[in-house]
Amino acid sequence: MEPVRIKLMGTFQISSGDITLREKDIRSVIGIKLLTFLVLNRRRIVTIQELEEFLLRQKTERNFENADGYVKNLIYRLRKILKIIGPHTYIVTGYKNYAWNPEIPVIVDVEVFKEQYEKARNCPDLEKQKILYKEILCSWRPLTGILTDEHWMIGIDTYYTSLFLEAVKSMAGLLEKEKKYKELVQLCRYAMPAELLDEDIRYWLIKALIQQKKVSEALKEWETAQSVWREQLQGYFPERLNSLYKEIMSSSISNEPDFMKVLRSLMKFTHEKQGGCFCAREIFEQLCLFLIGRSRGRGTEEYLILFSLLVDDMQEQEKKQGFILKNGRNKFVNVLSKKLEYGDVFTELGSSQYAVLPAECSDKKCKQKAERLIREFKKIYRSAYIDICYKIINLSEDIQC
């Protein structure tokens, strides 16, 4: 008997022989979900109670007095649709249960993907293993969107995505050993949308760019990674990725011996041509050391503004407190980026502190700048639970060993 082929990756398709039904042909989201549920559970009998719980969850806004009748009607409509691909009885009925007909073979793309992954993982021949990994990486697609909003599909989607990421990392390890950095960069950029917070893939991408002497690209990817982690994980940034910053800078200096070229590479830390420049904490510390040394040599004064975000204590509401802090932090970074003056530099010191090195070094000017920034923040974020305080630090006097 001709097997039925079902595609869940990218878009839903079901085919037998030369006949294929796509999502637009079926025109029933609930029908696709019901068919997928039966196929993925085809090695067991599905009770009508299970189907009622599964199907009626989709229609919680309606009151169903005859749940059995609703399920039977959907099964009938699904059988009618399946007649387009063949005359067989694809769904069989038992006593208070339904099942995919065990006599009709089924080939599901996600199950084939798993078999291919296991074959590649266990292949002893490295060259053949690379070919197998390339084949499965090219075949992978995220599951169709009409399924991934289902709670029972989340685990399935996560599982196959994890297989894909494991295949990527295995392939990346092979490419790194062979020093094929160009291919490694392409692989990481192809895989990254599957999991934006995958530390290994980000690390390989930046490391491969450094190895290719593409310093500006490596720096851009490092900044992008830091931005993603700040937004998704409230300021946390993996130490492994953070350590790459020093490699980027040392590579930049070693590849650009001309002093003006080094200065131009430092200017790439700015996110905008106007307003404040965000820079990594490491280079901010180096700027502070430079200014301290210069102030001692010239007898001048240099200042730093330290801002702290304060959230009111909310008893037994840690999640709300974290949410308010995250929103407040994002708004304040936006203010610093847009409302600081050109030449001002700022960095993030933790989950609730920011430091600014102003181009204008007067103590009075620093206070005016700090108060203006706080006013701008309160204009766009009027939360009664969050406040900002600041402290002016004289780098020449307050920083003493």
Side-chain angles (χ1 to χ4, degrees), residues 63-180:
N63 182 24
F64 286 88
E65 296 180 357
N66 184 8
D68 285 9
Y70 176 72
V71 172
K72 289 176 182 178
N73 183 50
L74 281 176
I75 292 289
Y76 169 78
R77 287 159 53 190
L78 184 56
R79 282 171 171 160
K80 192 175 180 180
I81 292 171
L82 293 174
K83 283 186 180 297
I84 298 174
I85 65 171
H88 311 291
T89 302
Y90 294 99
I91 300 173
V92 294
T93 306
Y95 177 69
K96 292 188 177 182
N97 60 64
Y98 294 96
W100 179 267
N101 190 339
E103 296 181 359
I104 300 177
V106 182
I107 300 173
V108 188
D109 61 350
V110 290
E111 295 173 354
V112 172
F113 180 84
K114 180 183 178 182
E115 292 172 2
Q116 291 176 325
Y117 168 76
E118 292 295 339
K119 183 179 179 181
R121 187 170 69 92
N122 297 316
C123 182
D125 187 311
L126 288 181
E127 288 302 317
K128 189 175 180 180
Q129 188 179 49
K130 284 168 55 181
I131 294 172
L132 292 173
Y133 275 132
K134 285 181 180 179
E135 289 177 354
I136 62 175
L137 293 178
C138 290
S139 69
W140 182 85
R141 296 290 184 277
L143 295 189
T144 174
I146 64 174
L147 293 176
T148 51
D149 63 344
E150 292 298 321
H151 78 282
W152 58 275
M153 283 297 296
I154 293 175
I156 296 172
D157 183 37
T158 302
Y159 174 71
Y160 287 109
T161 300
S162 68
L163 290 186
F164 169 72
L165 293 174
E166 287 301 318
V168 168
K169 294 172 187 180
S170 297
M171 186 67 180
L174 296 175
L175 294 175
E176 184 181 41
K177 286 181 180 179
E178 297 175 354
K179 298 184 179 181
K180 294 183 177 180

Side-chain angles (χ1 to χ4, degrees), residues 41-82:
N41 292 279
R42 65 187 181 278
R43 293 177 179 85
R44 68 180 183 89
I45 293 173
V46 180
T47 66
I48 194 168
Q49 184 179 357
E50 282 185 83
L51 288 180
E52 287 174 6
E53 292 175 358
F54 162 64
L55 294 169
L56 298 186
R57 194 179 293 114
Q58 320 298 319
K59 302 288 183 181
T60 52
E61 73 278 4
R62 293 173 54 185
N63 182 24
F64 286 88
E65 296 180 357
N66 184 8
D68 285 9
Y70 176 72
V71 172
K72 289 176 182 178
N73 183 50
L74 281 176
I75 292 289
Y76 169 78
R77 287 159 53 190
L78 184 56
R79 282 171 171 160
K80 192 175 180 180
I81 292 171
L82 293 174

Side-chain angles (χ1 to χ4, degrees), residues 1 297 330:
M1 183 180 291
N330 291 340

Side-chain angles (χ1 to χ4, degrees), residues 87-294:
H88 311 291
T89 302
Y90 294 99
I91 300 173
V92 294
T93 306
Y95 177 69
K96 292 188 177 182
N97 60 64
Y98 294 96
W100 179 267
N101 190 339
E103 296 181 359
I104 300 177
V106 182
I107 300 173
V108 188
D109 61 350
V110 290
E111 295 173 354
V112 172
F113 180 84
K114 180 183 178 182
E115 292 172 2
Q116 291 176 325
Y117 168 76
E118 292 295 339
K119 183 179 179 181
R121 187 170 69 92
N122 297 316
C123 182
D125 187 311
L126 288 181
E127 288 302 317
K128 189 175 180 180
Q129 188 179 49
K130 284 168 55 181
I131 294 172
L132 292 173
Y133 275 132
K134 285 181 180 179
E135 289 177 354
I136 62 175
L137 293 178
C138 290
S139 69
W140 182 85
R141 296 290 184 277
L143 295 189
T144 174
I146 64 174
L147 293 176
T148 51
D149 63 344
E150 292 298 321
H151 78 282
W152 58 275
M153 283 297 296
I154 293 175
I156 296 172
D157 183 37
T158 302
Y159 174 71
Y160 287 109
T161 300
S162 68
L163 290 186
F164 169 72
L165 293 174
E166 287 301 318
V168 168
K169 294 172 187 180
S170 297
M171 186 67 180
L174 296 175
L175 294 175
E176 184 181 41
K177 286 181 180 179
E178 297 175 354
K179 298 184 179 181
K180 294 183 177 180
Y181 299 118
K182 184 177 180 180
E183 290 184 40
L184 182 54
V185 168
Q186 293 172 344
L187 173 65
C188 292
R189 284 179 170 159
Y190 170 71
M192 199 175 295
E195 179 48 75
L196 294 176
L197 292 173
D198 192 287
E199 182 180 332
D200 293 329
I201 292 175
R202 292 274 184 183
Y203 182 87
W204 261 313
L205 172 59
I206 298 170
K207 190 77 173 178
L209 289 170
I210 294 173
Q211 293 294 332
Q212 291 183 90
K213 311 301 182 185
K214 295 183 177 181
V215 179
S216 60
E217 286 188 52
L219 181 57
K220 183 178 179 180
E221 292 292 348
W222 186 88
E223 290 177 334
T224 299
Q226 191 180 57
S227 175
V228 169
W229 257 266
R230 184 189 301 119
E231 180 179 344
Q232 298 287 335
L233 296 179
Q234 301 184 9
Y236 168 77
F237 194 54
E239 182 58 34
R240 187 181 180 206
L241 293 179
N242 202 37
S243 65
L244 287 173
Y245 177 80
K246 294 179 180 179
E247 288 191 45
I248 294 171
M249 291 311 301
S250 61
S251 178
S252 172
I253 294 172
S254 63
N255 292 327
E256 304 284 353
D258 180 74
F259 180 69
M260 292 307 296
K261 289 183 179 180
V262 174
L263 289 180
R264 282 194 290 271
S265 72
L266 292 176
M267 289 304 294
K268 292 174 184 176
F269 282 95
T270 59
H271 287 306
E272 298 178 2
K273 292 183 179 179
Q274 296 181 346
C277 302
F278 173 82
C279 72
R281 183 172 174 176
E282 290 84 358
I283 202 166
F284 189 89
E285 292 171 354
Q286 293 299 316
L287 287 172
C288 288
L289 289 174
F290 168 75
L291 292 175
I292 291 170
R294 188 176 71 174

Side-chain angles (χ1 to χ4, degrees), residues 354-370:
Y354 294 87
V356 174
L357 281 175
E360 175 59 57
C361 296
S362 157
D363 178 52
K364 182 179 179 181
K365 290 280 187 180
C366 287
K367 291 179 181 178
Q368 292 173 349
K369 187 187 295 283

